[in-house]
């Protein structure tokens, strides 16, 4: 049989095969890149922490009378978190997030004593929800957020991995923890930012039980060396009073050298004469790649008409020295703390009242 060879047809078929093969390869690569990009938009992070704490000059256990009834308990500063005696639990924190080009969400769940304290005004299933919000990037200069987010006021936060000190300050403990509402974040340029918000009463994260609202604002400046934020809160917080709470807060921190950082926080809160003001400095020195040491020196004063901690017109000083040693994802924090109050506030082991309390703790935090 005679075979007729058509070189033009053969070349055409070969070129078509190559083009089709290349198109398939490019399409497959595009699909793989899109899948990888979609996966990279999802994040999963969190912490697990536990600690040991003891007092040097204060009661460390429950004392009972002759009838077996408790008459006194372990002593601790009247600040939030890390106040239990002996070996104790912090919390497990799991944060799931999705960050798209225009929209995203954060679901931040907490389990354990620290988490329960942080969401104390939530009820039902929401008492494990630390943050739950969705956001929409309207453009490069404006982001809208709806839901529940941790407070923008103050220097310290709920997460033990995000704070240098493991225990917390008085100013943080008696300011807001969380807000539920709608906020708008503004980016004015590479350095200046702003925020405006309308929110439920402070720490009522699940819903608004009173039909009253608070207003928040923030002006921020940041550069490669640090940042500063001026924060405002105003609104009625109580169902039985029309008195509004006003709080103004300045939070700032700067790298003064490669090894030395200095933070500062000052705040004033007033609800018709009931409230507090204070200031704290946070110097920190990085001694090596794995170890740093830092101090919190805080002055806290309750207002003359009343305060939320020890009483009207009472002053408190808090000096907390913390080491931070990092091994992989594990952070170990030994901490010495001295609280001095302007009136007797603590029981010693003989059940005598003292105006000061010295304590030690060591915490282990695993962050992922």
């Amino acid at each position: 049989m005679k075979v007729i060879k058509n070189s033009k047809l053969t070349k055409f078929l070969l070129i078509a095969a190559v083009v089709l093969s290349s198109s398939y390869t490019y399409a497959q690569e595009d699909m793989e890149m899109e899948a990888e990009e979609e996966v990279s938009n999802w994040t999963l992070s969190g912490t697990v922490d536990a600690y040991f704490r003891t007092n040097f000059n204060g009661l460390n256990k429950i004392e009972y009378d002759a009838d077996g009834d408790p008459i006194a308990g372990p002593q601790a500063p009247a600040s939030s978190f890390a106040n239990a005696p002996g070996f104790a639990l912090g919390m497990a924190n799991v944060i799931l997030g999705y960050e798209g080009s225009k929209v995203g969400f954060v679901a931040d769940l907490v389990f354990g004593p620290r988490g329960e304290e942080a969401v104390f005004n939530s009820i039902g299933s929401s008492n494990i929800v630390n943050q739950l919000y969705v956001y929409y990037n309207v453009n490069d200069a404006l982001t809208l957020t709806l839901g529940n987010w941790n407070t923008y006021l103050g220097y310290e936060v709920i997460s033990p991995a995000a704070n240098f000190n493991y225990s917390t300050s008085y100013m943080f403990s008696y300011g807001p923890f969380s807000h539920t509402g709608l906020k708008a974040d503004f980016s004015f340029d590479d350095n200046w930012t702003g925020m405006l918000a309308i929110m439920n009463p402070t720490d009522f994260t699940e819903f608004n039980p009173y039909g009253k609202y608070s207003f928040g604002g923030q002006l921020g400046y940041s550069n490669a060396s640090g940042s500063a934020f001026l924060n405002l809160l105003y609104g009625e917080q109580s169902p039985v009073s029309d008195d509004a709470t006003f709080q103004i807060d300045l939070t700032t921190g700067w790298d003064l050298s490669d090894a030395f950082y200095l933070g500062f926080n000052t705040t004033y809160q007033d609800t018709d004469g009931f409230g507090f003001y204070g200031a704290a400095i946070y110097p920190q020195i990085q001694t090596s790649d794995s170890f740093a040491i830092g101090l919190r020196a805080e002055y806290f004063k309750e207002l003359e008409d009343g305060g939320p901690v020890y009483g009207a017109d009472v002053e408190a000083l808090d000096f907390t020295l913390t080491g931070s040693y990092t091994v992989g994802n594990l952070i170990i924090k030994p901490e010495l703390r001295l609280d001095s109050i302007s009136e007797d506030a603590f029981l010693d082991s003989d059940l005598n009242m003292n105006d000061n309390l010295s304590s030690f703790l060591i915490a282990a935090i695993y962050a992922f």
Side-chain angles (χ1 to χ4, degrees):
M1 182 183 358
K2 185 176 180 181
V3 178
I4 300 174
K5 296 182 179 179
N6 189 327
S7 59
K8 291 184 177 180
L9 178 60
T10 303
K11 290 180 180 179
F12 174 79
L13 292 175
L14 286 173
I15 293 171
V18 170
V19 170
L20 287 173
S21 176
S22 300
S23 299
Y24 174 78
T25 301
Y26 291 144
Q28 189 177 33
E29 290 176 351
D30 289 343
M31 291 175 63
E32 290 176 354
M33 290 177 62
E34 289 177 3
E36 290 176 0
E37 184 178 350
E38 181 69 17
V39 171
S40 68
N41 289 342
W42 291 88
T43 59
L44 181 66
S45 61
T47 60
V48 174
D49 65 292
Y51 64 96
F52 171 84
R53 183 185 176 280
T54 188
N55 297 315
F56 294 121
N57 66 334
L59 191 61
N60 282 307
K61 61 180 182 178
I62 301 174
E63 290 285 348
Y64 299 89
D65 63 17
D67 297 324
D69 296 321
I71 57 174
Q75 301 296 285
S79 54
S80 298
F81 314 146
N83 288 326
F87 295 100
L89 301 179
M91 70 177 183
N93 180 205
V94 180
I95 306 171
L96 175 66
Y98 176 82
E99 184 177 356
S101 59
K102 297 293 288 185
V103 298
F105 75 85
V106 168
D108 179 347
L109 306 180
V110 290
F111 309 87
R114 189 182 184 109
E116 290 177 4
E117 281 190 64
V119 296
F120 64 95
N121 265 344
S122 297
I123 60 175
S125 61
S126 294
N127 63 7
I128 66 169
V129 176
N130 182 38
Q131 300 185 95
L132 188 66
Y133 61 82
V134 296
Y135 62 87
Y136 170 46
N137 296 320
V138 180
N139 52 45
D140 291 341
L142 174 62
T143 298
L144 299 177
T145 301
L146 177 65
N148 168 33
W149 62 87
N150 287 159
T151 188
Y152 55 95
L153 291 102
Y155 181 90
E156 300 178 20
V157 296
I158 293 170
S159 170
N163 287 334
F164 190 90
N165 307 104
Y166 188 71
S167 67
T168 59
S169 69
Y170 290 103
M171 289 186 293
F172 167 78
S173 300
Y174 295 94
F177 282 173
S178 297
H179 310 280
T180 295
L182 174 66
K183 67 171 180 172
D185 288 286
F186 305 93
S187 178
F188 302 122
D189 57 31
D190 292 339
N191 303 110
W192 290 93
T193 60
M195 187 274 292
L196 293 173
I198 179 169
M199 305 164 291
N200 290 347
T202 294
D203 293 315
F204 284 94
T205 57
E206 187 175 296
F207 62 95
N208 190 333
Y210 305 146
K212 299 181 177 182
Y213 293 92
S214 295
F215 300 92
Q218 181 185 79
L219 180 65
Y221 175 84
S222 62
N223 60 30
S225 298
S227 60
F229 297 93
L230 180 64
N231 308 301
L232 296 171
L233 173 70
Y234 181 83
E236 299 173 14
Q237 309 293 326
S238 170
V240 297
S241 173
D242 292 332
D243 296 327
T245 294
F246 170 75
Q247 184 168 358
I248 184 169
D249 176 276
L250 175 65
T251 301
T252 184
W254 301 90
D255 293 316
L256 301 183
S257 71
D258 290 340
F260 183 62
Y261 168 88
L262 182 62
F264 176 75
N265 180 214
T266 184
T267 196
Y268 174 86
Q269 186 189 99
D270 187 354
T271 307
D272 193 31
F274 181 94
F276 61 88
Y277 61 89
I281 58 171
Y282 297 83
Q284 298 163 19
I285 299 175
Q286 190 77 35
T287 62
S288 69
D289 291 340
S290 59
F291 186 77
I293 189 168
L295 174 71
R296 176 180 61 225
E298 177 188 20
Y299 172 79
F300 182 85
K301 174 68 181 297
E302 301 181 69
L303 300 185
E304 293 182 2
D305 291 343
V309 193
Y310 298 110
D313 208 29
V314 175
E315 296 176 313
L317 294 174
D318 152 35
F319 297 97
T320 303
L321 184 65
T322 306
S324 183
Y325 180 66
T326 303
V327 185
N329 287 13
L330 180 65
I331 308 169
I332 300 172
K333 289 184 179 287
E335 184 169 287
L336 290 168
R337 175 165 174 162
L338 173 64
D339 291 82
S340 179
I341 315 301
S342 61
E343 62 180 37
D344 289 342
F346 306 108
L347 286 171
D348 65 17
S349 56
D350 297 321
L351 302 186
N352 297 317
M353 294 295 295
N354 282 329
D355 63 1
N356 66 87
L357 181 70
S358 56
S359 59
F360 168 80
L361 68 78
I362 184 167
I365 307 161
Y366 186 86
F368 61 91

